[in-house]
Amino acid sequence: IYVGRPTMWGNPFQAKRWGHAKSVILHRRWLQGEIAALSIERMGFDLGEVEALLRLRARVLINLHRLAGHDLACWCPLTTRWC
């Protein structure tokens, strides 16, 4: 299953802006609920983007079970330890 952009599984924290390692860390923390809406806003996202990220997170978590037992594919280099 392709889990990169532009699917709902894709990391909304782009490596172009945050760097590869930090974008993966942010994505993990966001999925785990460790980054609140106010923190996301302080990171430079506008209110509409914050609301969209909250909706996306809810949709991803509801559908996460669909990935179980499948091979996942994205664009991260095979040599990276961050994906």
Side-chain angles (χ1 to χ4, degrees):
I1 298 175
Y2 179 62
V3 294
R5 289 186 196 97
T7 72
M8 80 167 144
W9 312 111
N11 185 345
F13 303 99
Q14 294 186 11
K16 290 179 192 174
R17 180 174 180 185
W18 306 100
H20 183 76
K22 188 169 183 176
S23 69
V24 173
I25 292 167
L26 288 169
H27 190 219
R28 181 179 302 123
R29 291 187 65 209
W30 170 73
L31 284 173
Q32 293 173 339
E34 296 174 6
I35 301 177
L38 184 57
S39 295
I40 295 171
E41 189 174 355
R42 288 180 181 153
M43 291 168 59
F45 292 90
D46 66 36
L47 186 57
E49 292 170 320
V50 172
E51 291 173 359
L53 282 169
L54 294 174
R55 288 190 307 272
L56 175 61
R57 181 178 177 272
R59 190 172 68 182
V60 167
L61 293 178
I62 288 169
N63 289 285
L64 198 57
H65 69 279
R66 295 172 48 200
L67 298 178
H70 294 278
D71 292 327
L72 307 179
C74 70
W75 288 101
C76 292
L78 293 175
T79 57
T80 185
R81 65 183 191 129
W82 292 107
C83 193

